[in-house]
Amino acid sequence: MKKIIVTLLILSFNLTFSQDYFEGKNLYCKSENPEAMKLFNLGIETLYLNKSLAPKYLKITSNIFFKAYKTDTTFCDAIFFTGYALRLLNDEKVIACYIMADSLSKKALEFKINLASEGLRLGQDKSLNIARKKYNEIITLFPENPEGYYGFALTSPIFGDVDKGLENINIAIEKYKLSNPKLKDEVIFLKGVLLSQNKKYDEGLEYLEKCYSTYKKDENFKIHYSLCLLKVSEIKNDQKMRQKAFKFYEQIENKQQISEDIKSELKF
C-alpha cells in the first residue's frame, strides 16, 4: 500500500451530525431500557458541562456512555458517543467504538463517515482498508451524498488507483456544488493532486492555481505544485517556471516523506 503525506484534506473529519443529535435527540437506536437512557442523558449532560474538555472529565463521560451501552448492547448511539469522547482524548479505542456503532446501525451515514475519517487519521494499513470500505458503502447506500466519492478519491493515492480517484472526485465536485459550495477549495485541491498523480500536469497546475491562496503553505500542495510546475516548464522550456518549481520544492519541510514515484520525477 502506497504511503503519501496526508495533510488532511478530509472534509468528513468534522463530525457531520446536527446540533439536535449532540443534544441527544433524533437517535438512530434509541434504547427502550430506562436505565440505559438515563445513563445516556447523563453522558450528554456531562459532555455539555465539560466546556474545557478536560481529560479527566472526558474519561468520566466516555465511561458513562459505555455503561449505557453495556446496559443495552443494541444502543448504537451510546457506543458512538463513547467513541466520540475517546476521540477527544486521542484514545486508540475510538475506532473499535465506531466500528461497533456502525455495525449496530448498518445504514447510518454519519457513523460511516466518522468511522472512515478515523481510519484515515490512524493511517495504518488495516484502518485505511476500513476507510476505503466505508467510502464504498457510502457510494452504494447513499449515492447522492458527495462524501463517499470524495473519500474514495482521497484514498486513491494510497491504494494506487488514482485514475478511479479522478473519476470519483469529478462526481464529488458536481454533488458538492449542490450540497455545500463552500467546500470548493478542498475538492479543487484534491483534483489538482489527482491530476498531478495521473501525470496530467498542465491540468493539475490549472487546478492547483485555483486554490493557491488557500493551500500555498500546505506540504501536499508544495509537492504537487512543484511537480506540475517542473513538468510544464520542461514542455514549454520555461526557465522562470522551472525556478519557481525549485523554489517550492525547497520549501517542502518533509522531503523524506515524499512518495518514491513522485520523488523520482522531482529532478532538478
Side-chain angles (χ1 to χ4, degrees), residues 166-179:
L166 194 53
E167 292 173 14
N168 278 273
I169 197 60
N170 286 333
I171 296 171
I173 286 171
E174 291 305 310
K175 293 185 181 297
Y176 277 126
K177 283 179 182 177
L178 298 174
S179 66

Side-chain angles (χ1 to χ4, degrees), residues 117-182:
S117 295
E118 184 62 18
L120 283 172
R121 187 184 74 86
L122 291 175
Q124 301 162 357
D125 284 356
K126 184 177 180 180
S127 67
L128 290 168
N129 281 321
I130 291 171
R132 171 57 74 89
K133 180 181 178 183
K134 293 301 142 185
Y135 286 128
N136 277 324
E137 287 178 8
I138 294 167
I139 291 170
T140 301
L141 295 172
F142 307 96
E144 295 308 310
N145 189 285
E147 294 215 33
Y149 306 100
Y150 182 89
F152 187 102
L154 183 66
T155 55
S156 63
I158 299 168
F159 286 89
D161 50 4
V162 288
D163 53 338
K164 292 182 180 178
L166 194 53
E167 292 173 14
N168 278 273
I169 197 60
N170 286 333
I171 296 171
I173 286 171
E174 291 305 310
K175 293 185 181 297
Y176 277 126
K177 283 179 182 177
L178 298 174
S179 66
N180 195 341
K182 292 181 180 179

Side-chain angles (χ1 to χ4, degrees), residues 97 110 165 224:
C97 295
E110 294 89 351
H224 292 90

Side-chain angles (χ1 to χ4, degrees), residues 22 41-54 57-58 60-61 64-65:
F22 276 99
N41 290 331
L42 177 60
I44 293 291
E45 183 180 344
T46 307
L47 190 63
Y48 269 86
L49 286 173
N50 183 23
K51 300 297 185 183
S52 65
L53 300 179
Y57 298 110
L58 282 171
I60 292 170
T61 302
I64 293 170
F65 283 126

Side-chain angles (χ1 to χ4, degrees), residues 54-264:
K56 179 174 73 172
Y57 298 110
L58 282 171
K59 187 63 179 174
I60 292 170
T61 302
S62 70
N63 287 340
I64 293 170
F65 283 126
F66 188 65
K67 191 172 180 180
Y69 165 71
K70 292 294 286 184
T71 304
D72 178 358
T73 54
T74 68
F75 197 176
C76 67
D77 305 283
I79 194 64
F80 175 82
F81 271 91
T82 304
Y84 174 62
L86 291 173
R87 174 69 184 87
L88 296 173
L89 287 165
N90 290 317
D91 190 300
E92 62 183 17
K93 299 184 188 72
V94 57
I95 195 165
C97 295
Y98 282 179
I99 288 170
M100 183 61 71
D102 180 61
S103 66
L104 287 170
S105 175
K106 304 294 185 188
K107 291 187 178 180
L109 170 63
E110 294 89 351
F111 287 175
K112 294 185 186 300
I113 288 174
N114 289 287
L115 173 54
S117 295
E118 184 62 18
L120 283 172
R121 187 184 74 86
L122 291 175
Q124 301 162 357
D125 284 356
K126 184 177 180 180
S127 67
L128 290 168
N129 281 321
I130 291 171
R132 171 57 74 89
K133 180 181 178 183
K134 293 301 142 185
Y135 286 128
N136 277 324
E137 287 178 8
I138 294 167
I139 291 170
T140 301
L141 295 172
F142 307 96
E144 295 308 310
N145 189 285
E147 294 215 33
Y149 306 100
Y150 182 89
F152 187 102
L154 183 66
T155 55
S156 63
I158 299 168
F159 286 89
D161 50 4
V162 288
D163 53 338
K164 292 182 180 178
L166 194 53
E167 292 173 14
N168 278 273
I169 197 60
N170 286 333
I171 296 171
I173 286 171
E174 291 305 310
K175 293 185 181 297
Y176 277 126
K177 283 179 182 177
L178 298 174
S179 66
N180 195 341
K182 292 181 180 179
L183 296 174
K184 177 183 174 183
D185 278 358
E186 286 91 336
V187 290
I188 292 299
F189 181 10
L190 181 53
K191 183 168 181 177
V193 168
L194 293 174
L195 284 165
S196 169
Q197 297 206 351
N198 274 281
K199 300 186 184 301
K200 297 180 179 181
Y201 302 116
D202 206 353
E203 291 179 70
L205 183 58
E206 178 185 343
Y207 274 85
L208 292 173
E209 290 281 9
K210 289 179 181 179
C211 58
Y212 177 89
S213 61
T214 303
Y215 288 106
K216 61 185 178 182
K217 295 182 180 180
D218 180 277
E219 287 285 90
N220 241 339
F221 182 90
K222 293 173 192 174
I223 291 167
H224 292 90
Y225 191 57
S226 176
L227 177 62
C228 287
L229 284 168
L230 177 62
K231 293 302 179 182
V232 174
S233 76
E234 291 172 352
I235 295 168
K236 295 184 175 181
N237 194 25
D238 187 327
Q239 288 303 310
K240 286 187 177 180
M241 187 177 286
R242 183 183 178 86
Q243 290 169 6
K244 187 175 181 181
F246 184 70
K247 175 185 174 183
F248 271 86
Y249 176 76
E250 286 292 284
Q251 291 175 10
I252 299 167
E253 295 178 6
N254 298 302
K255 293 184 179 66
Q256 69 278 8
Q257 295 186 52
I258 301 173
S259 62
E260 289 302 321
D261 55 337
I262 294 179
K263 192 179 293 183
S264 65

